[in-house]
Amino acid sequence: MSLTPQTYWAEHAWLNGTVEPDVLIETARDGRIAAVRARTAEPPAGAVTLRGLTVPGLANAHSHAFHRALRGTVQVGSGTFWTWRDEMYRLASRLTPDSYFDLARAVYAEMTMAGITAVGEFHYLHHGPDGTHYDRPNAMGEALIAAAAEAGIRITLLDTCYLSSGFGAAPGRHQLRFSDGSAGAWADRVSALAAGGHGDHARIGAAIHSVRAVPADQLATVARWAEDHEAPLHVHLSEQTAENDSCQDAHGRTPTRLLADHGVLGPRTTAVHATHLTPEDIRLLGGSSTGVCMCPTTERDLADGIGPAAQLQGAGCTLSLGSDSHAVIDLLEEARAMELDERLRTRTRGHWTASQLLRTATAEGHAALGWSDAGHIEAGALADFTSIALDTVRTAGPLPRLGAETAIFAATNADVRHTVVAGRHIVRDGVHQLVPHVPAELAGSIAALRQ
């Protein structure tokens, strides 16, 4: 992605858990970091100065790009997860490859302006609204990959298997475009997508929408595809108690146990939400080294509940973060919310340090998306990093050595000043360099879906 080597001089940078002053970051032609040197008193000639605190790029491990069009609309009045889902289905029925490209391009640009350098797109809008396949069967996924390229963000397209509306139930009218008919047909389509060249900004992963959306006897097909392709595998897990109750009725076990029994759990797998778990569920997830992606702003917005994040990590799960439905796109808020929600749940403080939360938002999120060579500011890593201002009304005052604490517990996406991906300066002084007028792009693409 990088065309020419570039040198950046960071006023402060978070290196291996410590804030260091005057850090020189040299990037190479291959989009990786060539060298990092702390305490370089002055930026050399030609270096780009990054004021504030520079940290590894943030990883948004769980996204539904089209949900961004629901922001504000689904906050009117009251309602439940299920009434929210009805509105989501109506929106999904209006999208085409072209309109989804326009919307996703703007949403991914918004992400880079929030310091996000990689996104995991949990993608299940595969076909036409009535289930008819496009002439290019992966037209919708290809639109997302192209949108990410134009916005300057890395993407792991988590192509999602979604076959039923509930345990033993055929897809409903709004779900026809999600289904390939069988896990085998899903695997054939995704294999064709994975075989295509998408550029070094994109990787293809797999997802099981949920245990209610993929019949139990087809779960292993998806897991096997991910293993054969050495790809990440994600799955919505126990987001709602209704899903747990229905799974018990259908299979006599929890969703976590069902996934374990069919070989879905493991270090390649990330369970999203994992909100309503039994003690045995937590042991199964931790014992198999399954990761867990928490999405606190969505879980709060939909009144889903507070997941047992600290218990999961203590049992052996690696945690990552996602903005999911994009009620807001702010990974600093997601990290802060995970700690603050746990404080509310337990009435104790200090479950994670700021550095631990920052690692969750950076290195651990990238690893969950298959980008283990990102999320670190060190030689050989992908040259993806972002700078957070330390002189705004939210961040001014604390000592620079407390930059991680300031970023996690005070800063917001509005404090992001610079974002670099593969050595390219994608966001400069808060202005996106590839997508002009991002707010107008968002407003226009969303308005087009209302017409």
Side-chain angles (χ1 to χ4, degrees):
M1 295 173 72
S2 182
L3 300 177
T4 58
Q6 179 64 62
T7 298
Y8 296 90
W9 182 83
E11 185 179 26
H12 302 280
W14 186 69
L15 306 178
N16 298 317
T18 302
V19 175
E20 298 285 356
D22 307 331
V23 176
L24 200 68
I25 306 171
E26 297 178 2
T27 69
R29 193 177 300 276
D30 63 359
R32 293 182 179 271
I33 296 174
V36 178
R37 291 196 292 274
R39 300 183 184 276
T40 304
E42 296 292 335
V48 176
T49 296
L50 305 176
R51 295 292 176 189
L53 175 69
T54 296
V55 302
L58 307 175
N60 189 351
H62 190 66
S63 162
H64 301 288
F66 75 99
H67 289 190
R68 173 61 178 83
L70 295 170
R71 186 183 296 178
T73 302
V74 291
Q75 278 77 34
V76 175
S78 59
T80 67
F81 170 87
W82 307 105
T83 57
W84 169 88
R85 191 179 73 160
D86 289 341
E87 185 60 31
M88 181 270 288
Y89 283 159
R90 282 190 285 274
L91 170 65
S93 68
R94 303 184 192 123
L95 288 160
T96 67
D98 288 342
S99 64
Y100 206 4
F101 168 84
D102 291 340
L103 176 60
R105 177 176 179 264
V107 173
Y108 295 153
E110 179 183 358
M111 289 186 192
T112 61
M113 293 177 70
I116 295 166
T117 57
V119 58
E121 185 61 41
F122 201 98
H123 167 59
Y124 52 83
L125 273 64
H126 303 308
H127 310 299
D130 63 354
T132 301
H133 289 211
Y134 292 106
D135 291 339
R136 296 195 328 275
N138 286 297
M140 294 292 272
E142 291 165 353
L144 292 167
I145 292 170
E150 292 210 6
I153 195 171
R154 299 187 193 275
I155 185 171
T156 298
L157 189 77
L158 298 161
D159 197 290
T160 304
C161 187
Y162 193 134
L163 305 174
S164 61
S165 62
F167 296 95
R173 176 171 58 90
H174 291 298
Q175 298 157 330
L176 291 174
R177 72 181 315 177
F178 308 162
S179 177
D180 289 292
S182 70
W186 167 86
D188 289 342
R189 180 182 53 74
V190 182
S191 293
L193 177 64
H198 302 295
D200 58 7
H201 79 293
R203 295 179 180 175
I204 307 301
I208 293 166
H209 180 273
S210 56
V211 293
R212 62 180 169 79
V214 179
D217 61 359
Q218 300 190 60
L219 292 170
T221 299
V222 185
R224 189 163 50 249
W225 187 95
E227 182 176 359
D228 291 346
H229 290 79
E230 298 182 346
L233 172 63
H234 288 217
V235 54
H236 288 139
L237 178 64
S238 293
E239 182 178 5
Q240 290 286 323
T241 55
E243 176 185 292
N244 290 356
D245 295 342
S246 296
C247 190
Q248 285 284 359
D249 291 342
H251 297 288
R253 66 199 80 178
T254 67
T256 302
R257 168 54 74 181
L258 187 66
L259 294 175
D261 290 347
H262 290 274
V264 175
L265 303 185
R268 192 182 304 284
T269 302
T270 296
V272 181
H273 301 303
T275 306
H276 303 284
L277 303 177
T278 67
E280 183 197 25
D281 292 340
I282 294 172
R283 288 193 296 271
L284 285 169
L285 292 165
S288 60
S289 299
T290 298
V292 173
C293 178
M294 310 300 293
C295 305
T297 62
T298 291
E299 289 149 8
R300 293 188 302 195
D301 183 50
L302 297 180
D304 286 342
I306 300 171
Q311 293 179 57
L312 285 161
Q313 188 175 59
C317 297
T318 300
L319 302 180
S320 56
L321 297 165
S323 63
D324 192 5
S325 68
H326 311 315
V328 296
I329 295 176
D330 188 340
L331 262 288
L332 300 174
E333 170 62 20
E334 302 294 347
R336 173 164 58 244
M338 190 169 75
E339 165 67 23
L340 297 186
D341 284 355
E342 190 69 13
R343 292 182 185 185
L344 287 176
R345 194 176 69 83
T346 63
R347 291 181 291 174
T348 60
R349 303 178 76 212
H351 301 276
W352 296 276
T353 65
S355 284
Q356 288 172 328
L357 292 168
L358 198 47
R359 275 193 291 272
T360 298
T362 56
E364 305 300 356
H366 280 97
L369 297 177
W371 299 93
S372 58
D373 47 354
H376 313 272
I377 299 178
E378 60 186 29
L382 292 172
D384 301 355
F385 39 89
T386 189
S387 299
I388 301 163
L390 297 179
D391 60 356
T392 73
V393 292
R394 288 166 295 278
T395 61
L399 295 171
R401 64 181 175 81
L402 300 176
E405 286 76 9
T406 304
I408 291 297
F409 289 106
T412 73
N413 55 8
D415 299 311
V416 171
R417 291 292 178 267
H418 303 276
T419 302
V420 174
V421 182
R424 297 172 67 197
H425 207 160
I426 302 300
V427 176
R428 183 190 294 264
D429 293 318
V431 178
H432 203 286
Q433 302 299 293
L434 304 179
V435 179
H437 311 300
V438 176
E441 295 276 349
L442 285 163
S445 61
I446 293 169
L449 295 174
R450 296 197 189 105
Q451 294 175 1

